């Protein structure tokens, strides 16, 4: 066992003495040591209950003959960090989480790992660490929040963000906003729609690193605790069989995950996280590959923000396994891929079926013939950009309009809230990329304000930053190269025409090649937004969004 390096033999008597200082017995030290990466805290709704999930994992490990050892990791709530400096630190936290899990696992010679995340950057951060370490590992998330209720209507966090725009435009009263605020987030758990956290938890299941149910069982259900116990026990099976993450995270597994991504209509952030995870696993997944998968995959589920269903509805309808079973009817899922159940995908999904066709449509009757995401290229985004095409109004799938240019999210939001944006405008928010932000802030506040004002079918927004999974409308993010790297988005001027055609995967600045070159030759990089501390170092090391915004090697 790896842990023998820290506990076995005469030379390790001092080490055992330190273990005994914490109350560990000789019997416990003879067992495999199972590290539990515990991201519980009191600032993230999706993590406030993870202490109970970790307790259940410990019980499962003990039952199966291991010794569980929990340690903490950080976690940022993107909703609370939204629309201020705090959001600059969110994406950067992914690398810190991956690094800290690696440090703890190697320094203490754990034999295997159970990862307990739930929200946006914590899930991919822990998956990246699992791929890097390549010791037996399993992920058990905390589960989604239940949707809120307001009369007969279901609501969620995005309802609150959009209601702010409603109040600003006079479509809603402050009293109505207060009522939505009070009811939108009724339980602990990751926010109830197919936003980034739930997207990544579902894809963790689809890629084979989480047990069936990991992505959809609500946080408040007893079955979530039972699943955590099963995960604790299952890690001992993975250890015994020598099943490690890189035996699971194969190219075929990534294609399975991307296929489920397209069928569910997941967050645009999955493009960042899947490419970053592939980088850690040594698998080549580029943006063109994502378009290939999207083109052949029907969009089967319409969950918030693109539709009215929530994760609890998807769970009741059969969950991720039922979606994979439906996709397999058209040969879109590789059934031979290994998973943390110790079985192959085909065995995992064999007994599942779709229980509610209003939530999971047939492959022969999808919401859209193509998947939820599209990658756009053109002279404005030579290295690519991403849009959640399943959440775009049909009339905005193709558009040309004048640029309204802003060098920060704050100035754009102020203009939107003042009613200074006109129908047909293309809002450009730049210097918000991985280097320029730094940290590539999410833009849920401006997109929600636009939707709340009823302009989402008339106004587009493009940025070298990124969007929350809660974003809907013609919101095109990850423009690469970013402005801080002298990408063409840096030289757009007020009134320049911008065109995009999502079905044709194109986005262009309507300027001649010579004019673009001339403007770029005159461009000078602005001073960095953050000059000290972690994010200043992050800005120097981070790569393009087109490659997952990972650190340069």
């Amino acid at each position: 066992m790896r842990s023998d390096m820290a506990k076995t033999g005469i030379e390790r008597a001092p080490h055992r003495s330190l273990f005994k200082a914490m109350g560990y017995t000789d019997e416990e030290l003879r067992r495999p040591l199972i590290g539990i990466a515990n991201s519980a805290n009191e600032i993230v709704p999706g993590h406030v209950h993870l202490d109970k999930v970790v307790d259940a994992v410990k019980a499962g490990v003990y039952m199966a003959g291991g010794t569980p050892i929990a340690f903490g990791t950080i976690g940022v709530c993107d909703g609370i960090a939204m629309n201020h400096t705090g959001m600059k630190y969110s994406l950067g936290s992914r690398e810190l989480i991956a690094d800290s899990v690696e440090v703890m696992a190697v320094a203490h010679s754990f034999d295997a790992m159970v990862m307990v995340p739930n929200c946006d950057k914590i899930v991919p951060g822990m998956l990246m660490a699992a791929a890097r370490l390549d010791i037996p590992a399993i992920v058990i998330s905390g589960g989604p929040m239940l949707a809120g209720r307001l009369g007969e209507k279901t609501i969620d966090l995005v309802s609150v963000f959009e209601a702010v725009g409603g109040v600003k435009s006079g479509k809603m009263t402050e009293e109505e906003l207060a009522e939505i605020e009070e009811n939108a987030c009724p339980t602990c758990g990751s926010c109830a729609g197919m936003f980034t956290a739930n997207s990544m938890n579902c894809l963790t299941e689809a890629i084979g690193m989480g047990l069936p149910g990991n992505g959809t069982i609500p946080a408040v259900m007893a079955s979530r605790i039972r699943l955590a116990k099963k995960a604790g026990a299952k890690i001992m099976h993975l250890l015994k069989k020598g099943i490690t993450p890189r035996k699971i995270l194969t190219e075929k597994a990534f294609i399975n995950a991307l296929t489920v991504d397209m069928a569910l209509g997941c967050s645009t952030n999955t493009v960042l996280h899947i490419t970053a995870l592939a980088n850690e696993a040594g698998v080549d997944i580029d943006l063109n590959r994502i378009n290939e998968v999207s083109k052949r995959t029907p969009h089967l589920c319409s969950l918030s923000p693109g539709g009215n269903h929530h994760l609890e509805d998807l769970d009741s309808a059969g969950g991720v396994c039922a979606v994979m079973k439906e996709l397999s009817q058209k040969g879109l899922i590789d059934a031979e891929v290994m998973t943390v159940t110790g079985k192959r995908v085909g065995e995992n999904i064999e007994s599942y079926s779709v229980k509610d066709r209003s939530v999971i449509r047939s492959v022969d009757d999808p919401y859209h013939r193509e998947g939820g995401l599209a990658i756009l290229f053109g002279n404005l985004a030579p290295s690519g950009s991403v849009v959640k095409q399943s959440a775009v109004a049909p009339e905005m799938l193709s558009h040309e309009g004048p640029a309204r240019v802003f060098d920060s999210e704050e100035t754009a939001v102020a203009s939107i809230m003042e009613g200074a944006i006109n129908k047909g405008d293309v809002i450009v928010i730049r210097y918000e990329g991985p280097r320029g932000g730094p940290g590539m802030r999410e833009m849920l506040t401006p997109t929600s304000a636009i939707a709340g004002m009823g302009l989402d079918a008339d106004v587009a927004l493009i940025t070298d930053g990124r969007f929350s999974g809660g974003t809907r409308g013609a919101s095109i993010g990850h423009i690469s190269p970013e402005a801080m790297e002298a990408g063409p988005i840096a030289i757009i001027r007020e009134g320049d025409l911008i065109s995009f055609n999502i079905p044709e995967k194109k986005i262009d600045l309507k300027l001649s090649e010579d004019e673009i070159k001339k403007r770029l030759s005159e461009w000078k990089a602005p001073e960095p937004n953050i000059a000290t501390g972690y994010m200043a170092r992050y800005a120097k090391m981070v790569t393009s969004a087109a490659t997952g915004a990972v650190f340069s090697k």
Side-chain angles (χ1 to χ4, degrees), residues 242-286:
I243 299 174
T244 63
R246 292 200 179 195
K247 293 179 180 177
I248 294 170
L249 296 172
T250 62
E251 182 178 359
K252 291 178 179 179
F254 278 96
I255 299 304
N256 276 354
L258 286 172
T259 301
V260 173
D261 188 334
M262 301 308 156
L264 291 176
C266 290
S267 164
T268 52
N269 282 314
T270 61
V271 174
L272 281 177
H273 300 322
I274 290 294
T275 51
L277 178 58
N279 177 70
E280 292 286 357
V283 175
D284 183 25
I285 299 291
D286 66 19

Side-chain angles (χ1 to χ4, degrees), residues 122-397:
I122 301 93
V123 178
M126 289 191 181
L127 282 169
M128 289 163 67
R132 188 184 303 173
L133 291 164
D134 201 32
I135 61 176
I138 190 170
V139 176
I140 170 65
S141 73
M145 184 185 292
L146 295 180
R149 296 289 191 274
L150 201 58
E152 296 183 359
K153 184 181 180 182
T154 56
I155 57 175
D156 54 40
L157 180 65
V158 170
S159 307
V160 192
F161 273 97
E162 293 187 358
V164 173
V167 172
K168 291 287 186 179
S169 62
K171 297 178 181 293
M172 185 178 290
T173 67
E174 289 189 34
E175 290 74 20
E176 290 173 312
L177 170 60
E179 191 174 12
I180 293 172
E181 173 189 330
E182 195 70 24
N183 292 281
C185 300
T187 72
C188 62
S190 47
C191 296
M194 189 53 78
F195 313 144
T196 305
N198 291 326
S199 295
M200 288 308 303
N201 284 326
C202 286
L203 296 189
T204 296
E205 185 178 335
I207 208 167
M209 287 298 294
L211 296 176
N214 178 76
T216 59
I217 296 173
V220 294
M221 298 299 187
S223 51
R224 174 61 58 176
I225 297 300
R226 294 197 297 271
L227 190 71
K229 290 179 180 177
K230 291 177 183 177
K234 187 59 70 173
I235 192 63
M236 299 304 295
H237 175 76
L238 296 174
L239 178 60
K240 181 179 179 181
K241 296 295 183 181
I243 299 174
T244 63
R246 292 200 179 195
K247 293 179 180 177
I248 294 170
L249 296 172
T250 62
E251 182 178 359
K252 291 178 179 179
F254 278 96
I255 299 304
N256 276 354
L258 286 172
T259 301
V260 173
D261 188 334
M262 301 308 156
L264 291 176
C266 290
S267 164
T268 52
N269 282 314
T270 61
V271 174
L272 281 177
H273 300 322
I274 290 294
T275 51
L277 178 58
N279 177 70
E280 292 286 357
V283 175
D284 183 25
I285 299 291
D286 66 19
L287 297 185
N288 285 299
R289 196 72 174 277
I290 294 171
N291 269 345
E292 292 171 9
V293 174
S294 184
K295 187 173 182 179
R296 65 173 179 257
T297 306
H299 176 218
L300 304 182
C301 302
S302 185
L303 286 83
S304 176
N308 295 321
H309 296 132
H310 291 85
L311 266 291
E312 62 203 76
D313 303 311
L314 179 58
D315 188 61
S316 297
V320 172
C321 282
V323 173
M324 296 180 79
K325 181 71 171 291
E326 183 64 27
L327 291 167
S328 70
Q329 307 303 314
K330 292 287 188 180
L332 296 171
I333 294 294
D334 191 310
E336 295 304 310
V337 172
M338 179 57 66
T339 73
V340 291
T341 64
K343 300 177 181 178
R344 302 189 183 278
V345 167
E347 298 173 273
N348 289 346
I349 66 176
E350 186 176 7
S351 64
Y352 283 81
S353 61
V354 177
K355 299 175 183 177
D356 187 341
R357 283 293 180 191
S358 71
V359 178
I360 304 172
R361 286 196 176 183
S362 163
V363 287
D364 296 318
D365 181 32
Y367 284 97
H368 303 97
R369 292 292 171 186
E370 288 192 14
L373 300 182
I375 308 298
L376 312 185
F377 295 93
N379 69 2
L380 180 50
S383 299
S385 59
V386 61
V387 62
K388 191 171 185 174
Q389 62 180 348
S390 60
V392 178
E395 55 268 40
M396 285 298 286
L397 289 171

